[in-house]
């Protein structure tokens, strides 16, 4: 993410570094020569322009190790998927193409049900449909990563069932447009490494801070107000905190908003 107020750019070694998708936009995947040129064992090599390397701007990146760029075909679901999974870290990159219509499932390659994932169509425009295990049920509740909207519901968003230890359920014409390719980045909790939960705010005038237990000192925290008392109310931006964006600060007051291109 560029400090100059440019787009949030997401790349992965399954789709290839030059292929960007933007969490603050519903646009299709774009090819940018200034994006990641190589994924390396110790980091990554970026180009000389675009959102990745503008002169004088500060950059921040958040990185998860997949399967060293190696993908595999997964036939656990009703539709075949291409998966790059790191089961130790509970992280998977999943690519597939939706059928023309109806509910379907895709394999995710993890050892436990995903607890958080976002879905983005790559060949055409479409919102970042986001699943959270404390918010989403088989009724079809979801959040949008590229929007400040509260929880919404779409029939068959998750097909006929919430994610299992082998597959994710989706609905063509609901969470994804029929006959369109898409990518999912999925996670499940790993003790002392990652946590996906929910809490209730205690108000800006509270005399006691609201402590949220994770079991470890997090380096990356992503928060979204999901409701203001009922589904469909309480719109608010996503808030992303980390331990490097606030250079030399310990209270993490500055944050980024993945649904906007604004600076911190």
């Amino acid at each position: 993410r560029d400090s100059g107020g440019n787009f949030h750019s997401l790349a992965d070694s399954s789709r290839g570094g030059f292929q960007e998708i933007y969490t603050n936009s519903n646009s299709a995947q774009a090819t940018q020569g200034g994006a990641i040129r190589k994924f390396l064992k110790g980091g990554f090599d970026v180009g000389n322009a675009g959102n990745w390397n503008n002169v004088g701007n500060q950059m921040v990146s958040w990185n998860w190790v997949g399967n060293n760029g190696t993908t595999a075909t997964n036939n656990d679901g009703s539709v075949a998927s291409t998966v790059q999974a790191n089961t130790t870290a509970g992280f998977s990159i999943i690519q597939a193409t939706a059928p023309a219509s109806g509910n379907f499932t895709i394999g995710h390659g993890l050892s436990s049900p995903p607890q958080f994932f976002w879905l983005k169509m790559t060949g055409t425009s479409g919102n970042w449909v986001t699943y959270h295990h404390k918010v989403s049920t088989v009724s079809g509740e979801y959040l949008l990563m590229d929007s400040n909207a509260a929880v919404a519901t779409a029939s068959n968003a998750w097909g006929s069932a919430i994610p299992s230890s082998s597959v994710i359920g989706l609905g063509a014409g609901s969470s994804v447009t029929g006959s369109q390719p898409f990518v999912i980045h999925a996670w499940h909790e790993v003790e002392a490494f990652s946590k996906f939960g929910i809490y209730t705010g205690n108000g800006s005038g509270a005399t006691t801070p609201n402590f949220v237990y994770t079991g470890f000192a997090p380096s990356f925290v992503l928060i979204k107000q999901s409701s203001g008392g009922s589904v469909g109310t309480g719109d608010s931006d996503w808030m992303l905190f980390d331990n490097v964006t606030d250079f030399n600060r310990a209270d993490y007051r500055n944050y980024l908003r993945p649904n906007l291109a604004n600076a911190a």
Side-chain angles (χ1 to χ4, degrees):
R1 174 65 166 80
D2 186 321
S3 65
N6 293 310
F7 280 13
H8 294 254
S9 300
L10 190 154
D12 61 63
S13 56
S14 291
R15 294 177 300 115
F18 291 129
Q19 305 302 319
E20 294 183 306
I21 44 179
Y22 312 107
T23 63
N24 57 285
S25 171
N26 68 356
S27 60
Q29 177 174 282
T31 302
Q32 300 289 349
I36 291 180
R37 298 190 300 181
K38 293 180 181 178
F39 292 91
L40 304 169
K41 185 176 181 179
F44 53 86
D45 182 10
V46 299
N48 59 1
N51 301 323
W52 297 82
N53 202 17
N54 286 312
V55 62
N57 287 359
Q58 293 179 320
M59 313 289 170
V60 60
S61 68
W62 310 279
N63 310 276
W64 284 265
V65 175
N67 189 30
N68 298 313
T70 301
T71 62
T73 299
N74 185 299
N75 292 308
D76 289 341
S78 61
V79 169
S81 58
T82 300
V83 171
Q84 181 182 170
N86 180 341
T87 56
T88 301
F91 170 61
S92 182
I93 306 168
I94 309 142
Q95 294 174 277
T97 297
S101 62
N103 294 340
F104 65 101
T105 58
I106 54 169
H108 52 67
L110 296 172
S111 57
S112 298
Q115 293 169 299
F116 178 81
F117 66 81
W118 55 61
L119 178 155
K120 180 70 183 75
M121 288 185 289
T122 53
T124 188
S125 61
N127 293 116
W128 290 69
V129 181
T130 304
Y131 172 95
H132 192 293
H133 73 120
K134 292 292 188 179
V135 172
S136 307
T137 72
V138 71
S139 297
E141 296 90 348
Y142 65 90
L143 288 159
L144 297 177
M145 180 66 68
D146 54 317
S147 170
N148 71 349
V151 175
T153 301
S155 177
N156 300 324
W158 312 125
S160 57
I162 59 174
S164 73
S165 59
S166 59
V167 299
I168 290 171
L170 300 168
S174 184
S175 51
V176 60
T177 301
S179 304
Q180 288 295 324
F182 60 91
V183 62
I184 289 176
H185 298 85
W187 292 262
H188 67 71
E189 291 181 1
V190 174
E191 187 175 0
F193 180 72
S194 58
K195 189 77 173 177
F196 302 94
I198 193 169
Y199 69 93
T200 300
N202 62 356
S204 60
T207 57
T208 303
N210 201 351
F211 175 71
V212 179
Y213 178 77
T214 63
F216 57 94
S219 299
F220 172 100
V221 177
L222 183 63
I223 296 173
K224 176 69 177 75
Q225 181 175 314
S226 59
S227 73
S230 62
V231 170
T233 64
D235 295 354
S236 66
D237 292 325
W238 292 77
M239 302 172 69
L240 192 163
F241 301 84
D242 62 46
N243 61 354
V244 296
T245 303
D246 267 336
F247 299 98
N248 300 317
R249 292 184 66 100
D251 54 5
Y252 305 130
R253 289 183 180 177
N254 289 341
Y255 59 91
L256 291 164
R257 288 173 282 187
N259 57 295
L260 298 175
N262 299 28

